[in-house]
Amino acid sequence: MYIDTHVHLNAHQYDEDLQEVIDRALEAKVDYMVVIGFDRKTIERAITLAEQYKFIYAVVGWHPVDAIDCTDEDLKWIEELAAHPKVVAIGETGLDYHWDKSPHEVQQEVFRKQIRLAQKVNLPIVIHNRDATEDVVRILQEENAEKTGGVMHCYGGSVETAKICINLNFMISLGGPVTFKNAKTPKEVATEIPLEYLLIETDAPYLTPHPYRGKRNEPAHVVLVAEEIARLKSISIEEVARVTTENAIKFYKLPV
Ligand code: NI
């Protein structure tokens, strides 16, 4: 079995055919899915899905791209939701310097507030990082993020930075990009980082793995990520499935 540790089944891209997408995931032995919220609407939807399906869990938090829209009231609401029995982490939070919508200082402030919130409610954090590795790692260190630990979602950095994150009590999560032919660093990370520190994810509907690149992604495709890790490590896909599933259960404290 597999666990898709980061998927946006709460995104509008699944409005038409969510049940079919879920059925295909279960068919592919993706037995659990962790749905990540990133703003008011998607957080509400993540909770609804987690209440509707016993194999779906929710993560609640505010995306750095939209940090400018995040109010203290929103954070208070996220803190309250953290007590929900199916909420397993805070996120996705972090920094995204690729898009210009929210100034860096605003992103950093909302990021720090969510790290502190996670410590208050004692849940791990799910980190989104785009073009901001240095600041993400510095803030994690300054805020003692190792207290709760977390996961570097869809990790795209170097092996060296991955080791720093692991020392900070973070997991490294690999997604579709590891399957791309030209993805040199994700393949290095998959090869070099021991399996016990790896999670697998789709980030669907985004980051569709090879050979479906360009189409909408879905949780069933997490198997393709596992396959590529198995190939790179020269081990069986069964072992990748078994260990990454154990890792996900332990990381999110899933009651299975
Ligand atoms: Ni995501």
Side-chain angles (χ1 to χ4, degrees):
M1 83 179 237
Y2 304 87
I3 299 181
D4 187 351
T5 65
H6 189 118
V7 57
H8 300 288
L9 294 175
N10 47 353
H12 67 86
Q13 285 89 337
Y14 300 111
D15 283 353
E16 302 292 312
D17 62 347
L18 179 66
Q19 190 57 52
E20 288 155 51
V21 168
I22 288 175
D23 288 345
R24 281 197 292 272
L26 296 173
E27 184 91 353
K29 296 209 159 41
V30 182
D31 286 353
Y32 293 89
M33 291 159 246
V34 182
V35 173
I36 316 288
F38 47 90
D39 61 11
R40 275 261 169 192
K41 205 173 146 199
T42 56
I43 288 171
E44 274 167 6
R45 181 88 179 119
I47 298 278
T48 305
L49 291 171
E51 287 173 347
Q52 194 179 345
Y53 296 95
K54 72 174 193 313
F55 48 84
I56 289 180
Y57 289 83
V59 171
V60 296
W62 210 274
H63 202 283
V65 168
D66 301 314
I68 191 100
D69 302 324
C70 183
T71 65
D72 283 343
E73 223 170 87
D74 292 323
L75 293 173
K76 187 78 210 144
W77 176 64
I78 289 168
E79 189 180 325
E80 284 161 16
L81 288 176
H84 190 289
K86 295 204 79 180
V87 168
V88 291
I90 299 300
E92 55 187 284
T93 178
L95 300 175
D96 191 317
Y97 292 171
H98 181 77
W99 303 105
D100 284 337
K101 186 180 164 188
S102 302
H104 295 184
E105 311 78 64
V106 175
Q107 291 192 34
Q108 291 179 17
E109 198 191 322
V110 172
F111 181 27
R112 285 182 192 275
K113 282 179 176 170
Q114 289 185 86
I115 299 171
R116 290 171 200 163
L117 190 163
Q119 289 172 359
K120 207 166 154 191
V121 298
N122 196 25
L123 287 176
I125 45 178
V126 175
I127 303 293
H128 170 102
N129 166 30
R130 192 159 180 198
D131 303 340
T133 305
E134 214 171 293
D135 283 355
V136 165
V137 171
R138 179 176 53 80
I139 289 172
L140 291 177
Q141 286 167 336
E142 286 173 3
E143 295 292 335
N144 303 308
E146 72 279 0
K147 278 189 207 158
T148 64
V151 56
M152 306 304 286
H153 129 68
C154 205
Y155 183 76
S158 66
V159 171
E160 287 65 37
T161 307
K163 287 178 180 165
I164 294 170
C165 295
I166 289 167
N167 280 328
L168 273 167
N169 193 20
F170 273 70
M171 299 292 285
I172 304 297
S173 183
L174 294 173
V178 78
T179 68
F180 300 168
K181 290 221 170 352
N182 57 355
K184 195 167 162 276
T185 32
K187 287 188 200 292
E188 279 170 13
V189 168
T191 309
E192 307 258 331
I193 298 299
L195 200 52
E196 59 258 45
Y197 298 113
L198 294 182
L199 298 177
I200 53 173
E201 64 166 277
T202 58
D203 200 23
Y206 316 107
L207 300 174
T208 312
H210 176 79
Y212 302 107
R213 212 174 163 181
K215 301 203 178 99
R216 182 188 66 171
N217 199 1
E218 61 176 68
H221 293 336
V222 81
V223 178
L224 297 166
V225 175
E227 240 170 45
E228 180 63 9
I229 295 171
R231 192 186 70 79
L232 290 162
K233 285 192 173 308
S234 305
I235 57 177
S236 69
I237 185 162
E238 289 77 16
E239 190 177 353
V240 174
R242 181 179 58 79
V243 177
T244 58
T245 295
E246 283 171 11
N247 293 346
I249 290 170
K250 197 171 144 208
F251 175 74
Y252 283 127
K253 297 195 172 71
L254 303 181
V256 296

